[in-house]
Amino acid sequence: MDETTKHAETQPHELTPWDRVQLARHPQRPHTLDYIGALCEDFTELHGDRRFGDDAAIVGGLATFAARTVMVIGHQKGSDTRENVKRNFGMPHPEGYRKAQRLMRQAEKFAIPVICFVDTPAADPKKESEERGQANAIAESILVMTNLRVPIISAVIGEGGSGGALALSVADRLIMQENTIYSVASPEATASILWRDSAKAADAARALKLTAQDLYDLRIIDEVVAEPEGGAHQASQEAIRMLGERIRSHLEIISQIEIGTLLKQRYQKYRTIGTYLEA
């Protein structure tokens, strides 16, 4: 196993799950457009869901990655307050997910692989989003990805929060950077629900098993990708390169699998998550 693919068990163990939550949320972590800009050429961003409008919290479009045309889609946070307001802090509205679905269907039409970057605290929770069909948009995204007849790779590059993350995570390969998280709810929300005390977020983070290594051990994700020491924000270009190498490697493998077989494997991958034995 080369240095970029070592799992987190080969890294220092002093970081707690709560430490990794803070690293996953660090405002200077590279975001989706940083990865696209560094790893891809000829990126052409596509806008709008053709039903309501364009959502800046999800970006996507055609690009060239590793000498191959791909459709790249991802959550986009901001690096400062002004950009975060524009991007709704990376929390997509229904039109964002419908834009993603539109781009995925275009990729399928032209037999183009899809690469997704996951980085959101959650889908937008406001009343207006619910009125425009937020839950339905997320469910439709999951359905589209389940049946999409092209290879799909999803990479968690920051926060993977709730259904907002799952809507871009149904993939043939789901990988996470070492200091990222993926969970049904935030530690703060979980602590408020379980103990009525958000100050117990660190305890909730431990209980949620939300770290990359936890999820790899539970066989929910396919690989933990190492980061530079101190986190991806400490050496952004190196973190991007390391993740890009693993995406390229996985894409080469799954692109050689016949699409009918790939769809069966994708279905079985998610059917076997959470298996248990009865006495």
Side-chain angles (χ1 to χ4, degrees):
M1 185 181 297
D2 62 48
E3 288 298 315
T4 64
T5 61
K6 286 183 179 178
H7 297 310
E9 65 261 23
T10 66
Q11 305 300 318
H13 286 270
E14 65 271 12
L15 291 179
T16 67
W18 184 241
D19 292 331
R20 296 195 190 275
V21 170
Q22 303 311 307
L23 287 172
R25 294 172 173 173
H26 197 286
Q28 297 308 312
R29 281 187 75 89
H31 302 307
T32 292
L33 288 176
D34 298 316
Y35 283 89
I36 293 173
L39 297 176
C40 300
E41 299 175 353
D42 306 319
F43 174 58
T44 302
E45 186 173 356
L46 302 175
H47 298 273
D49 69 340
R50 302 298 187 265
R51 292 175 62 178
F52 182 84
D54 188 44
D55 184 4
I58 283 188
V59 297
L62 292 163
T64 302
F65 171 74
R68 182 192 305 262
T69 300
V70 297
M71 185 70 77
V72 288
I73 305 167
H75 304 96
Q76 179 65 26
K77 291 181 178 179
S79 297
D80 55 40
T81 301
R82 177 173 295 181
E83 189 181 1
N84 264 319
V85 171
K86 173 185 175 182
R87 303 287 182 182
N88 199 35
F89 295 85
M91 297 186 294
H93 303 87
E95 52 270 24
Y97 292 117
R98 292 183 178 122
K99 173 170 67 174
Q101 294 164 31
R102 182 173 73 84
L103 301 188
M104 289 176 192
R105 290 189 176 105
Q106 283 190 358
E108 182 180 55
K109 180 178 180 179
F110 297 105
I112 297 169
V114 173
I115 299 173
C116 294
F117 295 100
V118 177
D119 186 17
T120 180
D124 182 73
K126 292 193 289 290
K127 177 175 177 284
E128 292 79 9
S129 287
E130 293 298 329
E131 290 173 342
R132 296 201 297 272
Q134 182 71 288
N136 180 260
I138 292 171
E140 286 183 347
S141 291
I142 294 170
L143 179 62
V144 168
M145 295 186 81
T146 301
N147 298 303
L148 204 69
R149 299 182 63 83
V150 294
I152 310 172
I153 295 175
S154 288
V156 182
I157 58 172
E159 291 184 273
S162 193
L166 185 59
L168 294 187
S169 299
V170 181
D172 301 298
R173 296 291 186 273
L174 176 59
I175 63 179
M176 292 178 65
Q177 288 181 301
E178 178 185 1
N179 293 312
T180 62
I181 59 173
Y182 190 67
S183 176
V184 67
S186 71
E188 294 89 343
T190 302
S192 295
I193 293 168
L194 294 180
W195 300 297
R196 301 186 185 279
D197 184 0
S198 60
K200 293 183 179 291
D203 295 328
R206 190 179 306 107
L208 282 166
K209 301 294 185 183
L210 48 59
T211 70
Q213 190 60 51
D214 287 332
L215 292 158
Y216 180 77
D217 293 340
L218 291 168
R219 301 177 66 182
I220 292 173
I221 68 167
D222 298 291
E223 183 177 0
V224 181
V225 181
E227 295 183 21
E229 184 176 357
H233 61 286
Q234 297 287 2
S236 295
Q237 291 306 306
E238 179 64 8
I240 291 170
R241 183 194 66 78
M242 295 163 79
L243 183 64
E245 281 296 308
R246 300 313 305 147
I247 293 174
R248 180 190 58 76
S249 178
H250 284 294
L251 186 58
E252 287 180 357
I253 293 170
I254 63 176
S255 294
Q256 296 174 21
I257 301 173
E258 190 272 329
I259 191 61
T261 302
L262 193 66
L263 286 172
K264 290 179 182 177
Q265 291 179 356
R266 189 186 305 164
Y267 177 80
Q268 287 301 321
K269 171 183 172 65
Y270 287 91
R271 286 288 291 175
T272 56
I273 290 176
T275 56
Y276 61 94
L277 295 176
E278 292 183 345

